[in-house]
Amino acid sequence: MDFELSEEQRAFAQTAREFARHEFAPHAARWDAEAIFPKDAIAKAGELGFCGLYAPESIEGLALPRLDATLVFEEMAAVDPSTTAFITIHNMATWMLGTWGGPAVRERWGADLTSGRKLASYCLTEPGAGSDAASLKTRAELQGNEYVINGGKAFISGAGSTDVLVLMARTGGGGAGGISALAVPANAPGISYGKKEHKMGWNSQPTRTIDFDNVRVPAVNLLGSEGEGFRIAMKGLDGGRINIATCSVGAAQGALDAARRYLHERQQFGKPLASFQALQFKLADVATELVAARQMVRLAASKLDAGHADASTYCAMAKRFATDAGFTVCNDALQLHGGYGYLSEFPLERLVRDARVHQILEGTNEIMRVIVARKLLEPDDAGDIR
């Protein structure tokens, strides 16, 4: 096992670090405070290929391994987890469209999405279908050469400000087998958006409900085959879980960097805080948790890249571990700042708020435990994870 990055991988990470430093860092606090969706900055990320990192080359994506994508996302999330998290969601939706979309879909949206000129939202969750995603009720009926869509989605990132919706809807009977995936123009007649939700964090990306009232889309907008939608959604979420775990690792790294600087700068009792052993031990624990989370995420990404039979289990473990550890690291780094960590002039309180939701979305951490436990409890040696 080689834990060292290649020169090319280091170059990707360095490019992302410099981009985040120049394009995100001067503005992230204002985007958060004023709830600004920075589409121009996201488009600049697209110019570097960051909006189509693992999308196929057929839609002008970079087709990078998931491991390489984590390097880019981590560097950007160290500065702005909220904006970076939206970029990861856009990457996931773009990959789905490029992988399962037909020629007409890829031609209409592909290159615009990978370049960041247009943006995508991923529409799975409903008011009554969160962790139990297979119970979704939004329906798409095939009428002639069109699907007619009725229903509603909730907690959709970017809703109202994106250009295409990758939608999971029921085209058949109950359960997972009756779900299909569709590419839906975000401005199609019959689509309406709810109010922008007021959230604890993730304020640089809008979150809204979406209602579909007899929305018509061409049948060629079907992604994959009828009944394949849930499988597509779950494949997308394997990568999405790595992505959001990576955002937690990035946020934790940003928090640790801030804490290291502060411990050298701040003095109490005539000495810098860095000279107190209790704080040294806390910093050491934080760094250890961060490294463990990072390696867990990279292991899961490598399993996904290799098509490993247990990749989904590793993605669930990485998501659970890294999002829990990432939030703890951010919170501990805030504590090391004392009262200053609670002020918005410092990035800690924003990192804590942004990282908290990672334990909920892309499958709650409780559901991640269910996935892992089911694997472990398979009969005979099938549940062996080594």
Side-chain angles (χ1 to χ4, degrees):
M1 297 176 67
D2 185 1
F3 291 96
E4 292 300 316
L5 300 178
S6 68
E7 287 301 316
E8 185 178 17
Q9 289 172 322
R10 291 181 185 279
F12 270 119
Q14 180 63 35
T15 299
R17 186 180 307 125
E18 291 299 322
F19 172 80
R21 186 177 299 161
H22 290 101
E23 300 296 336
F24 286 0
H27 312 293
R30 181 172 62 87
W31 294 340
D32 171 71
E34 300 178 17
I36 294 170
F37 187 40
K39 295 177 74 171
D40 289 344
I42 295 171
K44 289 180 180 178
E47 292 172 4
L48 295 173
F50 296 166
C51 288
L53 284 168
Y54 52 90
E57 293 178 348
S58 61
I59 59 168
E60 300 183 21
L62 297 184
L64 290 178
R66 299 305 177 92
L67 176 58
D68 292 24
T70 68
L71 309 178
V72 172
F73 294 146
E74 180 183 333
E75 294 293 346
M76 294 195 294
V79 175
D80 187 350
S82 172
T83 303
T84 303
F86 176 80
I87 293 174
T88 74
I89 295 167
H90 170 84
N91 268 267
M92 178 177 68
T94 299
W95 170 77
M96 290 173 157
L97 184 145
T99 302
W100 283 281
V105 168
R106 296 197 304 270
E107 176 67 24
R108 179 172 181 181
W109 285 298
D112 280 339
L113 292 177
T114 54
S115 67
R117 293 189 296 268
K118 291 185 178 179
L119 300 175
S121 289
Y122 175 63
C123 303
L124 174 64
T125 302
E126 296 183 3
S131 294
D132 183 14
S135 68
L136 66 83
K137 290 181 168 47
T138 296
R139 189 152 198 93
E141 298 279 356
L142 184 60
Q143 297 181 5
N145 62 353
E146 291 182 318
Y147 282 99
V148 180
I149 305 166
N150 286 280
K153 296 293 180 178
F155 298 112
I156 305 304
S157 292
S161 299
T162 52
D163 304 283
V164 59
L165 311 175
V166 174
L167 174 74
M168 302 300 152
R170 191 165 298 285
T171 55
I179 296 171
S180 299
L182 292 158
V184 180
N187 61 352
I191 294 179
S192 59
Y193 296 94
K195 65 177 178 64
K196 186 163 70 172
E197 303 289 0
H198 297 285
K199 307 186 297 277
M200 173 180 171
W202 269 30
N203 290 318
S204 70
Q205 52 169 296
T207 301
R208 293 183 172 90
T209 59
I210 309 178
D211 289 317
F212 300 86
D213 183 10
N214 290 320
V215 176
R216 293 180 173 271
V217 298
V220 295
N221 284 25
L222 182 70
L223 304 183
S225 305
E226 276 205 4
E228 196 179 3
F230 193 76
R231 186 178 74 85
I232 292 172
M234 294 304 103
K235 282 185 173 290
L237 284 177
D238 279 343
R241 286 164 183 162
I242 292 172
N243 290 346
I244 215 65
T246 302
C247 286
S248 285
V249 171
Q253 184 65 63
L256 174 59
D257 291 342
R260 289 172 59 204
R261 290 192 299 269
Y262 185 78
L263 291 183
H264 283 296
E265 294 167 358
R266 174 75 166 163
Q267 291 206 356
Q268 289 288 276
F269 306 104
K271 296 186 293 184
L273 293 183
S275 66
F276 293 93
Q277 190 177 64
L279 302 186
Q280 293 173 2
F281 282 7
K282 174 58 72 175
L283 199 68
D285 287 344
V286 161
T288 302
E289 289 293 305
L290 173 56
V291 170
R294 177 181 291 120
Q295 295 307 324
M296 186 75 211
V297 170
R298 292 182 181 179
L299 172 63
S302 298
K303 295 285 187 184
L304 193 59
D305 286 331
H308 194 280
D310 294 330
S312 293
T313 307
Y314 279 93
C315 291
M317 288 192 292
K319 194 271 180 181
R320 201 291 300 165
F321 184 81
T323 58
D324 282 350
F327 176 75
T328 298
V329 169
C330 290
N331 197 43
D332 285 348
L334 187 153
Q335 185 73 17
L336 288 170
H337 280 70
Y340 288 104
Y342 205 65
L343 302 181
S344 59
E345 285 85 353
F346 290 75
L348 279 303
E349 59 86 27
R350 175 169 55 84
L351 294 175
V352 167
R353 288 187 289 103
D354 284 345
R356 179 60 182 88
V357 74
H358 299 172
Q359 296 166 293
I360 299 171
L361 49 78
E362 306 291 29
T364 66
N365 284 3
E366 289 74 18
I367 292 297
M368 297 305 98
R369 291 177 173 91
V370 170
I371 292 170
V372 176
R374 282 177 178 169
K375 177 62 183 177
L376 291 171
L377 295 173
E378 288 181 354
D380 300 323
D381 293 332
D384 195 16
I385 300 174
R386 296 177 187 269

